[in-house]
Amino acid sequence: MIRRSWTQVASIEETLALWAASLREVKQRIRPLFTQERVATNAGLFLEGLLGDEQRKTGWMRAEAAGDPGPWRQQAILGRRDWDADALRDIVRDYVIEHLADDDAVLVIDETGFLKQGKASCGVARQYTGSAGKITNCQIGVFAAYVSRHGHAFIDRTLYLPKEWTDDPDRLEAAYVPVDIGFATKPKLASRMIARAIATSVPFKWVAGDTVYGVGDIEQQLRREGKGYVLGVSSSHVFRSWGKRAPVAGTAAEIAQTRRASDWKRLSAGAGTKGPRLHDWCYLELADLDAGQFNSANDSLWTRGLLIRRRIADDDLAFFTTWCPAGTSIETLVAVEGHRWAIEDSFETAKNQFGLDHNESRSWHGWHRHVSLVMLAFAMMAAIRYRANPPSPKKMKRRPPAKPKAQPRRH
């Protein structure tokens, strides 16, 4: 069903027709993944269950919605059939780009937790997750979201395996983890996602991420690829300027303390649920560099900088390392950082409405299949939302009516 939280400009009848046509289309796109027609049919019913109104997207709930006597067919889609979840991931990515592509888009990297009981579910361990705000028993998934002026949707995902898993071959075998999967840090997983996006010509201009992904190889990777970034760093991260008249050196926190009141600018990072997300911002250009030393095809001047965000309510600070074409305004960098809100909103929506965290499979491929099907459902609704709410055409200024010409006076 079309969810009421997604404002509609098109009529109800038009939107329902668009929904039905979109569902038929995505079912046709995933049909080649399955060798048997009945399995493809069950996958389509699984997708319909994710799109339904049930609060819990369990196997029993999906089976009831599909008219099945039990959850076995639904569970078989995740665990007992031979189909490629990565191929579905690629279908989702291509679908998102087809509908939401924009050259100025931002690729946002983030992670989310899946609370779990026991020790058998693949990747489960006691680890910190922002979803719960504490260390708890959970799985961690790393995601990439495509955020453009047309909308946002997930285009990549992978399950993080802690070392206690990758160091235990028996545990890996029991969860059907492929033999070529070894330990990789979360930034390394993110780097692979960025590489896949670039290799498949996904159009984007920026990458945004929090402090987990802000230091290390990702910076160098993005410089080589000619992509700008706004990446979170800790307060203890050291910055130094060069080639600037006013030298800057010290930790991010120390530099923030030396800023004058006139250095801060109140800006919105985008619209939130309660209006503009206003913060005070400060931007320091640390160095202007020839980007050609990183990417031979880019011979322009780029700037490495430090962006600082100060919360209005309590003066809490957040810090970001930036890389952008010289002359990029602070307003642009703030807008890029503000795009990270879209992936947080996506996690909440995907969990509350599409059952992202309702996966009952314990295996590696079961997790990736379930998450990829949820990504497809989310992408379909994002495309419908954009198509049902086309941007308003630019208003043309009306010319004032021409004054009637004065008739010549008759003598």
Side-chain angles (χ1 to χ4, degrees), residues 169-289:
D170 294 337
R171 205 175 186 189
L172 295 176
E173 183 178 2
Y176 299 96
V177 178
V179 294
D180 59 339
I181 300 296
F183 177 74
T185 64
K186 295 169 190 174
K188 184 64 176 178
L189 297 176
S191 177
R192 293 172 183 172
M193 292 182 185
I194 294 169
R196 279 195 290 267
I198 293 171
T200 52
S201 301
V202 172
F204 67 98
K205 189 174 183 179
W206 302 89
V207 171
D210 67 10
T211 54
V212 175
Y213 309 97
V215 179
D217 295 338
I218 289 181
E219 285 187 284
Q220 297 301 317
Q221 177 188 21
L222 294 174
R223 292 185 188 187
R224 290 194 301 269
E225 298 295 343
K227 304 295 184 182
Y229 59 72
V230 179
L231 301 171
V233 294
S234 70
S235 60
S236 60
H237 189 72
V238 175
F239 288 88
R240 291 186 177 86
S241 67
W242 59 95
K244 297 292 182 180
R245 286 186 297 177
V248 175
T251 66
E254 291 169 346
I255 293 170
Q257 296 303 318
T258 65
R259 298 301 94 191
R260 298 169 298 178
S262 59
D263 294 331
W264 298 89
K265 193 171 185 179
R266 185 157 296 181
L267 297 167
S268 171
T273 55
K274 299 180 181 179
R277 291 177 285 127
L278 290 170
H279 299 281
D280 291 330
W281 299 84
C282 178
Y283 174 49
L284 293 86
E285 295 181 343
L286 301 177
D288 293 330
L289 303 172

Side-chain angles (χ1 to χ4, degrees), residues 147-373:
V147 186
S148 79
R149 58 194 176 95
H150 305 309
H152 55 270
F154 301 108
I155 63 168
D156 210 338
R157 79 294 173 264
T158 193
L159 180 62
Y160 169 72
L161 292 181
K163 284 189 69 65
E164 64 187 78
W165 270 83
T166 56
D167 291 344
D168 189 340
D170 294 337
R171 205 175 186 189
L172 295 176
E173 183 178 2
Y176 299 96
V177 178
V179 294
D180 59 339
I181 300 296
F183 177 74
T185 64
K186 295 169 190 174
K188 184 64 176 178
L189 297 176
S191 177
R192 293 172 183 172
M193 292 182 185
I194 294 169
R196 279 195 290 267
I198 293 171
T200 52
S201 301
V202 172
F204 67 98
K205 189 174 183 179
W206 302 89
V207 171
D210 67 10
T211 54
V212 175
Y213 309 97
V215 179
D217 295 338
I218 289 181
E219 285 187 284
Q220 297 301 317
Q221 177 188 21
L222 294 174
R223 292 185 188 187
R224 290 194 301 269
E225 298 295 343
K227 304 295 184 182
Y229 59 72
V230 179
L231 301 171
V233 294
S234 70
S235 60
S236 60
H237 189 72
V238 175
F239 288 88
R240 291 186 177 86
S241 67
W242 59 95
K244 297 292 182 180
R245 286 186 297 177
V248 175
T251 66
E254 291 169 346
I255 293 170
Q257 296 303 318
T258 65
R259 298 301 94 191
R260 298 169 298 178
S262 59
D263 294 331
W264 298 89
K265 193 171 185 179
R266 185 157 296 181
L267 297 167
S268 171
T273 55
K274 299 180 181 179
R277 291 177 285 127
L278 290 170
H279 299 281
D280 291 330
W281 299 84
C282 178
Y283 174 49
L284 293 86
E285 295 181 343
L286 301 177
D288 293 330
L289 303 172
D290 177 9
Q293 62 181 296
F294 306 101
N295 183 337
S296 58
N298 183 4
D299 58 357
S300 59
L301 201 64
W302 282 52
T303 299
R304 182 173 184 268
L306 165 63
L307 181 68
I308 308 172
R309 184 186 68 203
R310 186 175 66 193
R311 199 156 54 196
I312 297 172
D314 56 9
D315 291 340
D316 182 65
L317 298 174
F319 309 93
F320 306 89
T321 179
T322 65
W323 176 249
C324 57
T328 299
S329 67
I330 184 175
E331 287 82 2
T332 297
L333 295 172
V334 168
V336 171
E337 197 284 322
H339 281 63
R340 284 203 306 123
W341 177 82
I343 198 170
E344 296 171 7
D345 175 71
S346 298
F347 285 141
E348 182 179 358
T349 301
K351 289 181 178 181
N352 292 340
Q353 298 188 13
F354 300 106
L356 179 64
D357 57 346
H358 299 170
N359 178 27
E360 298 169 313
S361 173
R362 293 179 172 179
S363 68
W364 168 271
H365 52 268
W367 187 92
H368 286 86
R369 289 173 178 179
H370 175 88
V371 169
S372 299
L373 284 164

